[in-house]
Amino acid sequence: MNNLVTYARDGGIAVITIDNPPVNALGHATRLGICEALEQFAADHDAQAAVLICAGRTFCAGADISEFNAPPEDPWLPAVVQKIEDAPKRVVAAIHGTVLGGGLELALGCHFRCAVASAKFGFPEITLGLLPGASGTQRLPRLAGIEKALDLMISGKPMDAAQARQIHIIDEIVEGDLRRGAIGYASRIVAERAPVRRISKMSVDRTAVPPDFFDRYRERIARQSRNQIAQEQIVRCVEAAVQLPYRQALKLEGRLFEKCKKSVQSRALRHLFFAEREAGKVPDLGREVATREIRKVAVIGAGTMGSGIAMCFLNAGWPVVLVESDRVGLDRGVAAIRKNFETAVQKGRMSRDEHESCMNRLIGSLDYADIGDADLVVEAVFEDMKVKKQVFAKLDALCRPGAILATNTSTLDVDEIAAVTSRPRDVIGLHFFAPANVMPLIEIVRGGKTATDVIATALALARRLRKIGTLVRVCFGFVANRMFIPYIREAQLMILEGAAPERIDQAMVEWGMAMGPNAVLDLSGLDVFHRFLGAWKDRPHDPSFCRMLTVLCERGRLGQKTGAGFYNYDGRNAVPDPEVAAVAAREAAALGIRPRRITDREIVRRLTVSLALEGARVLDEGIALRSGDIDVIFANGFGFPRYRGGPMFYAGSVGLARIEAAAARYRKRYGDRYWTPPESLARHTLRPLTKS
Ligand code: 3H9
């Protein structure tokens, strides 16, 4: 037996322990070890039952995802699960931590399951574009019922032990030491001669759902699963669990799992899974770099961004001083925080006690002197270099030595801000995305002089805030907003060429974006983006460049906040406005731009190619560390469809030849100012691996 799985005996109970840190993923060697341990158990006449348990922080968190780019190696997980179920003596799973995907399937192969109360259970395969492929789609409906099983697999969301017990996923919740408790439970089962329960031998309760259940279920999930393939395959498998004998349905599950695994969508989602974890790893930041201790946080500016940032830190347990220059602004910010927490309580996302303790940790202040003992100060004032410099000069004078001084700027030069202090080593950018308390991303902007321990602390902070921190360097707009410029530029130009804003938005939403580019501008405020472009020193001398944005701003159409932008607004409801098309036609005529027929395909291609070319330039300049970081930023900050993997992965999946051909077409039509692909494009676009 290999050292990832060990076999021991405690009296009459065998204990099979999986120890494959960090999450006991079920890689090949582990599967082999389990099989060998099962054989030893079968041959061990003194063992009356076995407990299957994991060392470390969790029970198995699933199959080893890193093996999915190659064909499966025997013993493959479904066979291992079956081998457990076929064991001649009782096997009890002893569960702690997060039992996910293949890990839960392994547990369902056991005849009994017990868990500590803090354990979490789930089938997150859908988040990887997969289905539970080791009999989960067959065993779960037999235990939990058809609808509950589908909900669990389609949502991918975990449940707690109490819920898992309710739907028969576990039989027993263990208090105290799990190993002890599980051995006790196994001994009891043996003593009581409890019958061995093999889930595959149970039948699915088909009477619990109406005959048209599956059609209705498909309708119900159609919107959330648009363009995606795995959801339908899960429904097919569960339908098969109802209609086919177990073995036949299991074969179908295996085939459909392989189909999903080889799909570009699953490759894209797996790419993001690993890219999100790699984002926190920085080549020149070894483990020896210690982080600074952050006990108290101050946030400067109680506007929407400042109060959102304050909420993030309060939620994560820090005391926060929120500083504003005037009483009205401060009261408004504190009230917004209270209201947001209140809503979280009403929605059951936070307890009343947590709400109170968060509010107790918040100190609103009109006096900068209150930040003197803060270990981290996050500035979130108006996006204006002069104002930011004034704030940082004050921070420099007041903050204790060693405090980290962070700016939430989304565009401005962090080095220029740092230069007004006597301690540029302590200055860093922490660009939260709006709404800060909801969006999972922070662009961590490393200045030319930022100390490595400040960067390490920022990355650790992001983790504690349960956000993804991606490290970027200084340039106008960093990665996110800089790449957004060509994307918006092309969307705007297409409006001048005669494509209605709603058509452009619809094409992008159909393709998978959470929102179209024009709706995004309306939401965030046209004036905000206009001011941002106004501050850009390298703005091209191109009269058509973002012309619609300028004209609409001049007309006071600033987006949702003024009731009109690219759309008219009836509350939050966007209504297309023919006046916008009329304005576009006039502007186009003045600029000599002729109307053309633009297909949905062109809309998607032009916008996504513009992103890929700019992404390659960003990488050439060393602004982002890796293509994967760009993908992580767009998937988590801009509503880029995860199943397309991010702009760089997507370009690779379309193929370099097609991207270059599209760029050549646009170059011919619009000149080479924007459309010359960097030579590095091939290197920076991520090709999905060839099929296994
Ligand atoms: C599946 O099971 C298919 C089956 O149905 C059918 C098969 C036939 N594999 O997230 P963390 C690594 S599909 C390989 O930072 P946390 C991760 O990359 C799978 N590696 O920790 C990282 O590596 P590194 C279904 C994995 O405490 C390290 O472990 N299961 C896997 O924040 C720590 O991870 C899932 O989708 C894996 N399965 O969160 C669960 N899981 O240190 C995926 C983790 O080198 N995993 N790693 O960067 C998770 O959701 C989280 O990792 C978990 C822990 C909640 C478990």
Side-chain angles (χ1 to χ4, degrees), residues 21-27 57-68 72 76-78 98-105 122-128 130-136 253 257-258 261 273-274 276-278 281 287 463 466:
V23 297
N24 290 308
L26 289 156
R57 60 165 127 141
T58 182
F59 195 83
C60 305
D64 187 336
I65 304 163
S66 65
E67 289 183 352
F68 287 174
W76 186 219
L77 195 53
T98 41
V99 47
L100 300 173
L104 185 46
E105 290 171 302
F123 281 108
E125 282 88 343
I126 197 75
T127 63
L128 299 167
L130 297 170
L131 51 89
S135 69
E253 181 199 79
F257 177 80
E258 281 300 307
K261 193 183 87 170
F273 177 86
F274 287 115
E276 282 168 354
R277 280 149 184 88
E278 200 182 8
K281 294 174 186 139
R287 279 179 192 274
R463 274 194 296 278
R466 295 178 173 273

Side-chain angles (χ1 to χ4, degrees), residues 202-425:
M202 293 162 63
S203 56
V204 184
D205 181 7
R206 63 185 77 191
T207 60
V209 294
D212 61 350
F213 172 79
F214 286 101
D215 293 339
R216 283 169 175 270
Y217 201 90
R218 284 185 169 96
E219 274 168 32
R220 203 172 102 195
I221 62 165
R223 209 166 146 257
Q224 80 191 66
S225 57
R226 179 170 45 207
N227 300 338
Q228 296 171 73
I229 61 170
Q231 285 80 352
E232 167 58 18
Q233 311 313 323
I234 290 176
V235 179
R236 274 182 73 187
C237 285
V238 176
E239 213 171 14
V242 177
Q243 293 166 350
L244 301 177
Y246 180 78
R247 294 271 157 215
Q248 228 173 307
L250 196 65
K251 269 198 186 145
L252 179 77
E253 181 199 79
R255 265 203 323 276
L256 296 182
F257 177 80
E258 281 300 307
K259 174 179 164 166
C260 288
K261 193 183 87 170
K262 288 177 182 168
S263 69
V264 174
Q265 291 188 0
S266 175
R267 287 172 197 272
L269 288 158
R270 274 140 52 196
H271 155 68
L272 279 176
F273 177 86
F274 287 115
E276 282 168 354
R277 280 149 184 88
E278 200 182 8
K281 294 174 186 139
V282 179
D284 65 335
L285 212 66
R287 279 179 192 274
E288 73 287 353
V289 179
T291 54
R292 295 188 190 179
E293 198 181 343
I294 307 293
R295 284 156 308 206
K296 183 173 171 184
V297 177
V299 177
I300 312 293
T304 313
M305 211 57 205
S307 40
I309 294 171
M311 281 180 69
C312 297
F313 285 101
L314 291 167
N315 269 327
W318 272 288
V320 175
V321 185
L322 180 64
V323 180
E324 185 47 85
S325 51
D326 69 284
R327 166 63 57 195
V328 177
L330 182 62
D331 290 348
R332 200 186 302 129
V334 171
I337 292 174
R338 183 172 289 113
K339 188 165 169 243
N340 262 312
F341 282 145
E342 196 61 56
T343 310
V345 172
Q346 278 159 15
K347 292 193 171 163
R349 289 200 297 262
M350 185 184 224
S351 70
R352 180 77 37 210
D353 283 357
E354 282 165 340
H355 174 234
E356 255 168 48
S357 76
C358 276
M359 286 314 288
N360 288 341
R361 284 196 298 275
L362 175 67
I363 299 174
S365 170
L366 296 170
D367 188 356
Y368 268 64
D370 288 337
I371 64 169
D373 59 345
D375 306 294
L376 166 73
V377 184
V378 185
E379 162 280 308
V381 300
F382 193 62
E383 188 77 350
D384 178 280
M385 183 54 96
K386 226 163 91 194
V387 181
K388 303 249 183 210
K389 281 182 174 173
Q390 282 165 4
V391 170
F392 271 78
K394 260 194 205 173
L395 298 183
D396 191 29
L398 286 169
C399 290
R400 66 162 192 76
I404 296 178
L405 311 182
T407 168
N408 177 50
T409 181
S410 54
T411 52
L412 300 173
D413 186 337
V414 173
D415 290 327
E416 200 179 326
I417 295 172
V420 303
T421 72
S422 60
R423 38 174 135 174
R425 286 172 50 76

Side-chain angles (χ1 to χ4, degrees), residues 117-195:
S118 58
K120 294 267 186 293
F121 304 77
F123 281 108
E125 282 88 343
I126 197 75
T127 63
L128 299 167
L130 297 170
L131 51 89
S135 69
T137 66
Q138 302 307 305
R139 286 199 167 92
L140 189 62
R142 285 172 160 77
L143 261 195
I146 296 168
E147 187 162 11
K148 291 247 163 51
L150 269 172
D151 288 349
L152 199 60
M153 293 187 279
I154 295 284
S155 74
K157 292 205 177 102
M159 61 169 65
D160 63 26
Q163 290 165 312
R165 191 175 183 185
Q166 238 175 30
I167 61 169
H168 315 296
I169 286 182
I170 53 171
D171 307 293
E172 181 101 349
I173 294 181
V174 172
E175 307 281 341
D177 180 62
L178 177 63
R179 190 176 192 274
R180 260 311 79 239
I183 291 172
Y185 178 50
S187 308
R188 222 169 60 226
I189 286 167
V190 171
E192 288 167 4
R193 297 172 190 266

Side-chain angles (χ1 to χ4, degrees), residues 570-600:
D570 173 14
R572 286 197 154 200
N573 226 349
V575 184
D577 183 353
E579 197 195 320
V580 173
V583 171
R586 275 200 301 278
E587 289 300 320
L591 289 162
I593 296 171
R594 290 230 192 101
R596 2 182 331 266
R597 200 179 83 81
I598 298 180
T599 61
D600 287 1

